[in-house]
Amino acid sequence: MTGLRERQKADRTGRILDAASRLFRAQGYDAVRIEDIAAAAEVSAGTCYNYFSTKGDLLLAIVSMEVEEVVEAGHTLVTTPPPDTAQALGSLIRLYYDHSLHYLSKEMWRKAMAFSIEAPGTPFSQRYTELDAMLSAQVCDLIAALQKRGLARPDLDAKVFGQIVFNTLNQMFIEFVKQDAMPLSDLHRLSDAQTASLAGLIR
Amino acid sequence: MTGLRERQKADRTGRILDAASRLFRAQGYDAVRIEDIAAAAEVSAGTCYNYFSTKGDLLLAIVSMEVEEVVEAGHTLVTTPPPDTAQALGSLIRLYYDHSLHYLSKEMWRKAMAFSIEAPGTPFSQRYTELDAMLSAQVCDLIAALQKRGLARPDLDAKVFGQIVFNTLNQMFIEFVKQDAMPLSDLHRLSDAQTASLAGLIR
DNA sequence: AAAAAAGATTGAGTTCGTTCATTTTTGAAG
DNA sequence: CTTCAAAAATGAACGAACTCAATCTTTTTT
């Protein structure tokens, strides 16, 4: 079933993604030209456009892989939440934040977020939006799980409140990547304060 | 004290802003070239760059003027809020949303938001971020005003809660401008539902 | 009022993302 | 094995944002 054509296609996709990911991280998104990526992936510039519609979409493909990992890691945590509301929320949020700079620079996040707003219809922009929705749903699930364990007010709409929490942490993350000088520890501090407030409303 | 040089500078700035605003709205941000703006403003392309650092920053200058108007209009409403929590919040939000498409297209909003994330250091990007903070503060002020009138739980931190409300409405607005097909009425529906939930938490 | 300095304008030139006509490679049919 | 069609790769050409050395305009100095 795996013809030569199919195998080469997958191989090229992988090489382009690898090359782009490595170069973006090493030199920055703007400093890397499509031609550089093509050269590193041993294809031509035109071929990159057979696989990814724009440079921005290629970036979003890379970012999406990262977010996929986070969604998976988050799933484990949501199914076995710590036995305290603030700590449960805090752990999930910390998981998201700490993963974020593992493979991606702030510049890459900025460009990715910008592109997903600017060009929402692009294939990987849609994928990225989906993944965002999955993260949001995960927070909702956590709150529902806490309710089930009697750690959160049962009269709360878990979906509405989960989205509120997600919007808040998302907004703080945007501020974080917008300021190159801001260290991760500051994001944690801000986040812990908000989480405490929000946990107060839940309990 | 207004020398010739100063007057010409103000005049040119105005002409560039006017031309760009008109052309962006009529033809779309991407379709308009700097040269087109320059021609319409009766200057050269290079001159546009003496006044605005990039095309994106020029757009943000235009968007900022719009947001300034909204901040002003909102101020009136916050000082004399309707005598009902949900209605007060709803009026302010409606004010923001209804103003949004008056002078600016969805594409312009998308590009502006994208640029403000992508290039946060640029002069008008900073201005735009400031204005965003002012809107957020306005929502906080409204909640504080409601507390003062006994229309909201006094034990609530107005600042924290205001930011939550602002983040929520901001996020909904982003979804709105990301989908060209979505009518303003749908945004209102979504917003009304969320506002009702949030008003419930406040009372 | 002339000369010098400071400040702005200009548009040709550079760069890089993107497109597309042409060429090459792959897979199927005879 | 040859022929043909479909799919994919290629790189030269294009377009638009942005830069910068040369030029022009305004202000200040003598």
Side-chain angles (χ1 to χ4, degrees):
Chain A
M1 253 304 111
T2 88
L4 173 59
R5 191 161 268 174
E6 221 174 323
R7 240 176 313 129
Q8 282 186 329
K9 216 163 153 175
D11 193 52
R12 285 207 180 95
T13 307
R15 289 211 309 275
I16 293 171
L17 283 169
D18 280 355
S21 179
R22 188 165 44 75
L23 290 174
F24 284 161
R25 242 179 310 151
Q27 302 173 211
Y29 178 83
D30 279 329
V32 174
R33 297 167 309 147
I34 292 289
E35 237 192 291
D36 299 331
I37 297 169
E42 296 178 292
V43 296
S44 75
T47 297
C48 290
Y49 285 92
N50 289 338
Y51 290 83
F52 302 95
S53 55
T54 65
K55 190 183 177 188
D57 210 40
L58 172 52
L59 172 64
L60 274 186
I62 293 166
V63 173
S64 290
M65 295 193 306
E66 162 73 12
V67 180
E68 271 161 21
E69 270 189 33
V70 174
V71 169
E72 223 167 306
H75 187 70
T76 314
L77 194 113
V78 169
T79 52
T80 54
D84 170 79
T85 310
Q87 208 190 317
L89 276 179
S91 300
L92 188 61
I93 293 169
R94 191 170 271 265
L95 177 76
Y96 294 164
Y97 287 163
D98 289 352
H99 254 82
S100 70
L101 297 187
H102 208 248
Y103 298 116
L104 308 173
S105 66
K106 283 192 180 188
E107 190 213 19
M108 286 169 79
W109 277 108
R110 282 195 298 269
K111 295 278 172 184
M113 288 171 157
F115 188 79
S116 82
I117 292 176
E118 193 176 328
T122 252
F124 286 100
S125 196
Q126 289 183 334
R127 176 63 182 151
Y128 178 80
T129 303
E130 258 177 49
L131 286 163
D132 232 47
M134 286 167 78
L135 288 177
S136 178
Q138 213 163 57
V139 177
C140 296
D141 288 348
L142 176 63
I143 290 173
L146 289 171
Q147 280 180 323
K148 213 168 212 164
R149 283 169 177 68
L151 294 164
R153 286 169 49 183
D155 62 319
L156 222 59
D157 185 333
K159 209 164 173 178
V160 169
F161 208 86
Q163 283 172 354
I164 287 173
V165 172
F166 182 75
N167 284 342
T168 305
L169 72 89
N170 207 31
Q171 196 56 49
M172 286 188 298
F173 186 66
I174 291 174
E175 290 309 312
F176 170 64
V177 298
K178 274 172 80 173
Q179 294 178 42
D180 262 321
M182 182 175 174
L184 197 55
S185 58
D186 278 15
L187 177 59
H188 281 143
R189 240 189 303 286
L190 276 178
S191 158
D192 288 347
Q194 286 278 34
T195 306
S197 282
L198 288 167
L201 283 171
I202 293 182
R203 250 189 260 99
Chain B
M1 255 307 107
T2 90
L4 173 58
R5 191 161 267 173
E6 221 175 324
R7 242 177 310 130
Q8 282 185 330
K9 217 162 153 176
D11 193 51
R12 286 204 179 97
T13 306
R15 289 212 309 275
I16 293 171
L17 283 169
D18 279 355
S21 179
R22 189 165 42 75
L23 290 174
F24 285 160
R25 244 178 311 153
Q27 303 174 207
Y29 178 82
D30 279 330
V32 175
R33 297 167 310 147
I34 291 290
E35 235 189 293
D36 299 332
I37 297 168
E42 296 179 292
V43 295
S44 74
T47 297
C48 290
Y49 286 94
N50 290 337
Y51 290 83
F52 301 96
S53 56
T54 65
K55 190 185 177 188
D57 211 39
L58 171 53
L59 172 63
L60 274 186
I62 292 165
V63 173
S64 289
M65 293 193 308
E66 163 73 11
V67 179
E68 270 161 22
E69 271 188 33
V70 174
V71 169
E72 222 166 308
H75 186 71
T76 314
L77 194 111
V78 169
T79 51
T80 54
D84 169 78
T85 309
Q87 209 190 314
L89 277 179
S91 300
L92 188 61
I93 294 170
R94 191 169 270 267
L95 177 76
Y96 293 164
Y97 287 163
D98 289 352
H99 253 81
S100 69
L101 296 187
H102 207 248
Y103 298 116
L104 308 174
S105 66
K106 282 193 181 188
E107 190 214 20
M108 286 169 79
W109 277 109
R110 282 196 298 269
K111 295 279 172 184
M113 288 172 158
F115 188 78
S116 82
I117 292 177
E118 192 177 328
T122 251
F124 286 100
S125 195
Q126 290 184 334
R127 177 63 182 150
Y128 178 79
T129 302
E130 258 177 49
L131 287 163
D132 231 48
M134 285 167 78
L135 288 177
S136 177
Q138 212 163 57
V139 178
C140 296
D141 288 348
L142 176 62
I143 290 174
L146 289 171
Q147 280 181 325
K148 212 168 212 162
R149 282 168 177 70
L151 294 164
R153 286 168 48 183
D155 63 319
L156 222 59
D157 185 334
K159 208 163 175 181
V160 169
F161 207 86
Q163 283 172 353
I164 287 173
V165 172
F166 181 75
N167 284 341
T168 304
L169 72 90
N170 207 31
Q171 196 57 49
M172 287 187 298
F173 185 66
I174 292 175
E175 291 309 313
F176 170 64
V177 296
K178 274 172 80 173
Q179 294 177 42
D180 262 321
M182 182 175 173
L184 197 56
S185 58
D186 278 15
L187 177 60
H188 281 144
R189 240 190 302 286
L190 276 178
S191 157
D192 287 347
Q194 286 277 33
T195 305
S197 282
L198 287 167
L201 282 170
I202 294 181
R203 249 188 263 98

